[in-house]
Amino acid sequence: MRRLDQLLANLGYCSRREARAWIQEGRVAVRGKIADDFGAKADPGDVRVDGAPLDHPAGLLLMMHKPVGLVCSHDEREGPNVYSLLPPRWRARNPQVTSIGRLDKDTSGLLLLTDRSELVHRLTSPKHKVPKIYRATVGADLAPTLVPLFASGTLLLQGEKTPCAPAELRIIAPRAAELTLTEGRYHQVRRMFASQGAEVLTLHRTRFGHLELGDLPAGQWRELPPDTFQP
Ligand code: URA
């Protein structure tokens, strides 16, 4: 049960002040009856605005094909972000829609977005070891010795005290590979290859846990069933 004015504001419809005006104007109904008390508590499933049920009152979970050139930060100073691709109402929600982990500005591929903070914590926690698959092209031929090195759990990146967790490398062409990581350190894929003298030229994430990007076009997103990541 949530206060009506708060509910509308948190779901991105309008400000709390505007919500109070909407209620006074008779635009909001609870269980089929026009609401007149903006402080009254209601079950989100019982509320209608202009006759329509509330927009995803239980939360959003989206899979996006992040294009190159957008950042995952909400800070406008860091440049255009992935949230600009979402409907304005979703961008105004509180808790805000955020990415589950991040992809660099120059990385494309599978990005999950949600306003369910429990999911963000669970899926980004190193404890849960969710596998993520990246496809990289690099600026130098890849030595087969990288496969056991990345798998060894001993690769220490510059400035870090703990080695990278074992990662599975599959070399698919002299300068292209697929890398499966179960952790998500800052610029991890780029830094792992760079530590071995191979600059990453392009980077694309194809999988996150059991989810595959498939043929979702760049810049598009689709909704995922709320129970996609049942504990
Ligand atoms: N590793 C990187 O270097 N960049 C990403 O965006 C993701 C993983």
Side-chain angles (χ1 to χ4, degrees), residues 123-143:
L123 296 174
T124 56
S125 150
K127 206 173 69 195
H128 286 92
K129 296 192 170 52
V130 179
K132 283 144 285 194
I133 303 187
Y134 298 87
R135 216 170 262 170
T137 61
V138 296
D141 287 0
L142 292 165

Side-chain angles (χ1 to χ4, degrees), residues 102-104 107 134 181 185-191 203:
R102 288 186 174 190
L103 292 176
D104 304 333
T107 302
Y134 298 87
L181 298 184
R185 304 180 189 206
Y186 179 69
H187 288 178
Q188 185 167 352
V189 176
R190 295 176 195 278
R191 289 165 69 215
L203 187 57

Side-chain angles (χ1 to χ4, degrees), residues 154-158 160-164 185 195:
T154 63
L155 181 68
L156 197 57
L157 297 176
Q158 219 173 28
E160 298 203 355
K161 292 204 171 68
T162 48
C164 293
R185 304 180 189 206
S195 74

Side-chain angles (χ1 to χ4, degrees), residues 25-231:
E25 290 161 18
R27 295 176 60 182
V28 179
V30 179
R31 291 169 168 258
K33 261 190 67 189
I34 297 291
D36 55 7
D37 176 5
F38 55 73
K41 293 194 170 169
D43 183 330
D46 292 336
V47 179
R48 301 277 182 280
V49 176
D50 297 331
L54 290 178
D55 186 358
H56 294 81
L60 288 165
L61 177 59
L62 311 170
M63 175 199 286
M64 179 182 279
H65 181 161
K66 179 194 173 297
V68 165
L70 299 182
V71 299
C72 294
S73 163
H74 284 91
D75 187 342
E76 301 283 341
R77 291 169 301 185
E78 294 188 32
N81 62 42
V82 293
Y83 312 104
S84 65
L85 301 175
L86 301 180
R89 185 187 289 156
W90 290 0
R91 296 188 338 236
R93 286 169 76 108
N94 177 22
Q96 70 184 354
V97 176
T98 192
S99 63
I100 300 181
R102 288 186 174 190
L103 292 176
D104 304 333
K105 183 174 180 183
D106 295 329
T107 302
S108 60
L110 199 166
L111 183 69
L112 296 176
L113 301 166
T114 190
D115 57 354
R116 292 165 50 193
S117 52
E118 98 280 358
L119 265 188
V120 178
H121 291 128
R122 179 147 58 88
L123 296 174
T124 56
S125 150
K127 206 173 69 195
H128 286 92
K129 296 192 170 52
V130 179
K132 283 144 285 194
I133 303 187
Y134 298 87
R135 216 170 262 170
T137 61
V138 296
D141 287 0
L142 292 165
T145 50
L146 291 192
V147 176
L149 175 65
F150 284 6
S152 68
T154 63
L155 181 68
L156 197 57
L157 297 176
Q158 219 173 28
E160 298 203 355
K161 292 204 171 68
T162 48
C164 293
E168 188 185 331
L169 179 68
R170 214 165 60 81
I171 297 174
I172 51 185
R175 297 188 175 201
E178 228 172 52
L179 183 61
T180 305
L181 298 184
T182 55
E183 51 182 1
R185 304 180 189 206
Y186 179 69
H187 288 178
Q188 185 167 352
V189 176
R190 295 176 195 278
R191 289 165 69 215
M192 285 175 74
F193 282 110
S195 74
Q196 303 306 310
E199 185 197 357
V200 169
L201 303 178
T202 64
L203 187 57
H204 178 78
R205 184 158 70 189
T206 58
R207 282 187 82 106
F208 187 111
H210 64 288
L211 297 174
E212 217 166 333
L213 185 59
D215 54 10
L216 189 64
Q220 305 275 308
W221 50 264
R222 68 178 174 86
E223 285 183 51
L224 296 173
D227 62 354
T228 296
F229 293 101
Q230 280 309 37

